[in-house]
Structure formats: C-alpha cells, structure tokens
Amino acid sequence: MTDRFQSHDAWRPAGGEAFTLAHLSDLHATDVRLDSPRDVLNKRALGWLSWRRKRRKEHLREVLEALIEDLHACAPDHVGVTGDLTHLGLPAEIEAAVEWLERLGPAERVSIVPGNHDAYAGAAGAERWAPWRAYMGDADARAEAESAGDDPATRGFPWVRRIGASAALIGVSSARPTAPLLATGVVGDAQRARLEKQLGELAAEGRTRVVLMHHPPLPAGQSRRRQLDDAEAMRALLARAGAELVLHGHTHESHLDEVAGPHGPIPVIGVPSSSSIGHRPARRARYHLYRVEPGRCPDGAPRCRLSWQVRGFDPESGRFAAEGDEKLA
Ligand SMILES: [Fe+2]
C-alpha cells in the first residue's frame, strides 16, 4: 500500500491501533423475483425493465464470488458497503442481500448504508431495512429516539460504530424513494443536525471519523438527475464539524476529491460497483482497501494518516488483483 495522504506535517499517532477498511459499493447483488404484479407497479416497472434488459447482465454472481474470495484473502479489519445492495428494494431482495452479507464477515465487522435502489419505491426506512439492522452501527437507542418524528427514510440515521479506542464509522442515509427517472438523494435537515452533533462528540473523544454515504456530497456536475439535493449543506456541515474521510458510491466510477474541513481538506473517495463485469472497462468491478492510522493535530483535533490500494476484477483470470494507484487519483 502506498501512502497517499500524509494529512498534516505535525500529525502524530493517537496511540490507537491502525486498521484496514475495505470499501465496496453498488453491488446490485440480488435477483429480482416478482411474487405479484403489485411488485412492479409505479416506478418499479421501469426499474424492472432496466434490470431485465441491462443490469442483470452487468452485475454477475461470478464477480461477486471472486470479490468474496479476494476479501477473505486480504482479510480487512472491517468492510464498509456504501449502498445499492439491491435493484428494486423489494423485501425479498433485502432478505437475499443478507445471505451474501453474512459471507463478507461477521456483522460487527461489516457496515452498510442504503442507496437509492434500496429505497426504490414505497415506504423507505427502519422497517424496510430491519433485516440489515445488525450491519448498521452499534445498537443506539438514542439515535432511534431522537429521530422518532423524522421522515421514515432517515429514522435511526446516522448510525455510529466505534472501532477500537480511536476511530468510528458514521453511516448516513441519503436514500429515499424518488419519482421515475430520478436517482437523487437527500440527507435532510434533521439527520444533518444529528450528524453534526455526532461528529462533534466523536472528535471530543479523539476519534478518527470515517463517514459512509451513498451519494457523494459534491457538486452534481452534469447529472442533476442523480445528485445529492443537499450536497452544499453537507459540505458546509463538513467544513464546520470535520471528518477525516468520506466514502461514497453511486457514481459507478473511481473518484478522489476533497472538500474543505476545519483543519484542512477532507478526502472524499468514491468506488465503482464492486460486482460489475465491466462491459465498459472503466466500469469494471473494483473495491478499495484503506489503511487508516488514527492521529492528532497539535491542537488535539483528530487527523488520520491514510493509504490505500485499488483492487480490480480481471476478466481473464476471473479474480481480483491490485491495480496501479493512478486508477484512483
Ligand atoms: Fe445509486
């Protein structure tokens, strides 16, 4: 692994242990089985056609099997999946996703946030994602209680999972049902308020903070149809509260960006789909392995040293292998 972010000249170790984190996304690793025509009423009719025509030929079981084999060989300390585990967010797909989540590792070492496909249509929220609860942070009755009056899509979010004595993962939901042909997301005022408070509390504990979310908190570029509607408010929040790393999916491409933080830039990294056969090579399956070394600035603010490796699917060998660093930067 190559050192890519020596974030601060005066960085010093926090005394906590470094850990490795595998970042996967947009697995779409479920078959769509329709039990009733009602399953494809509304927006799901278009989604079902897209799955029949395109997606089921792109996201393949053989790639997922190679991914699981490589993950086991690399043995990261933790696995983070930034959403879109399913195609249409049907209850049977939510259940089916658990079958392969269990193969990634024990629930206390695998963390997920939902994506727009998981919230495709109908009610989205705690009830829909109940089978995934064990993968959504430490049990936190306070977060559930504080979000009780919220939009159901953001109840129980952000979740927090503390890692050892000096790091934490924070899972933000940007997933909610949208109108046909839209794949937008939103974090929402109430969830952002909770997120800012949590980031402050975790900084006070001296923890390196890794935020997982599906939509990138970046300007939309060409695709307003797929944007995070409150990306600007999220960037303002990160500039005030800080985080040491933000990981996202959704774009199906590798991205390395930065947003402003209170103590310097915060890396924002996107990973492509980790299950795509890659009929377009730029979209071939990848995942990222990060080594996160918690540290502090001289003023005590958390600051991590970060390095990473890109691992990609090779269709010839049918296996994942390390790719060059330039693939991400
Ligand atoms: Fe997405």
Side-chain angles (χ1 to χ4, degrees):
M1 246 182 233
T2 316
D3 254 8
R4 298 302 305 271
F5 259 85
Q6 171 66 67
S7 302
H8 197 291
D9 287 345
W11 175 92
R12 60 180 192 272
E17 286 179 8
F19 65 98
T20 49
L21 171 65
H23 176 202
L24 285 53
S25 202
D26 298 78
L27 290 151
H28 298 291
T30 48
D31 285 328
V32 180
R33 290 188 299 273
L34 302 181
D35 297 326
S36 147
R38 286 179 52 203
D39 287 344
V40 287
L41 284 178
N42 58 51
K43 180 182 174 182
R44 283 196 176 113
L46 288 173
W48 181 75
L49 283 172
S50 166
W51 173 76
R52 288 280 305 174
R53 257 195 3 250
K54 199 171 64 173
R55 287 183 180 273
R56 69 182 177 138
K57 298 170 193 153
E58 183 70 24
H59 301 279
L60 298 185
R61 190 86 210 173
E62 69 198 64
V63 182
L64 189 66
E65 292 296 336
L67 170 71
I68 290 170
E69 186 183 319
D70 197 62
L71 269 176
H72 288 173
C74 291
D77 296 313
H78 207 95
V79 178
V81 188
T82 50
D84 280 1
L85 289 76
T86 68
H87 292 282
L88 306 183
L90 290 164
E93 293 184 84
I94 302 282
E95 291 284 353
V98 175
E99 287 169 27
W100 59 259
L101 279 171
E102 287 172 347
R103 294 181 59 204
L104 298 183
E108 63 271 19
R109 289 171 50 191
V110 178
S111 293
I112 61 178
V113 291
N116 52 295
H117 278 264
D118 306 318
Y120 210 72
E127 285 143 45
R128 173 183 299 211
W129 296 313
W132 295 351
R133 187 67 190 86
Y135 300 91
M136 290 180 164
D138 306 326
D140 188 347
R142 192 187 61 168
E144 299 281 356
E146 285 184 356
S147 60
D150 269 23
D151 178 335
T154 59
R155 265 180 220 152
F157 292 98
W159 55 248
V160 173
R161 180 166 259 170
R162 286 170 174 78
I163 297 186
S166 51
L169 303 181
I170 303 101
V172 172
S173 175
S174 57
R176 63 183 55 211
T178 57
L181 305 178
L182 287 182
T184 51
V186 68
V187 178
D189 294 344
Q191 187 183 192
R192 270 190 276 107
R194 288 194 295 277
L195 174 62
E196 187 155 4
K197 194 166 147 220
Q198 287 165 343
L199 289 172
E201 289 172 358
L202 293 166
E205 293 175 26
R207 290 179 185 272
T208 283
R209 301 157 295 175
V210 179
V211 175
L212 306 179
M213 56 192 295
H214 182 66
H215 294 77
L218 299 168
Q222 298 302 308
S223 183
R224 299 177 74 80
R225 205 174 61 75
R226 298 176 52 77
Q227 72 180 359
L228 181 69
D229 286 340
D230 53 354
E232 195 175 336
M234 271 297 292
R235 291 196 297 280
L237 184 161
L238 290 166
R240 289 191 302 271
E244 283 58 65
L245 176 62
V246 178
L247 302 179
H248 70 84
H250 188 56
T251 59
H252 289 233
E253 288 175 350
S254 292
H255 282 284
L256 169 61
D257 290 280
E258 292 177 352
V259 297
H263 303 280
I266 302 168
V268 176
I269 302 178
V271 69
S273 165
S274 308
S275 67
S276 171
I277 190 73
H279 296 302
R280 282 193 281 159
R283 296 209 154 199
R284 192 163 292 151
R286 281 187 189 146
Y287 76 97
H288 297 162
L289 265 182
Y290 307 99
R291 184 173 187 276
V292 181
E293 196 173 350
R296 304 263 168 82
C297 291
D299 64 0
R303 198 71 173 154
C304 74
R305 186 156 66 182
L306 178 67
S307 51
W308 64 72
Q309 185 182 84
V310 175
R311 296 189 70 81
F313 181 70
D314 170 18
E316 282 187 20
S317 68
R319 304 170 80 100
F320 278 70
E323 293 187 13
D325 282 351
E326 71 279 4
K327 301 286 185 182
L328 179 55

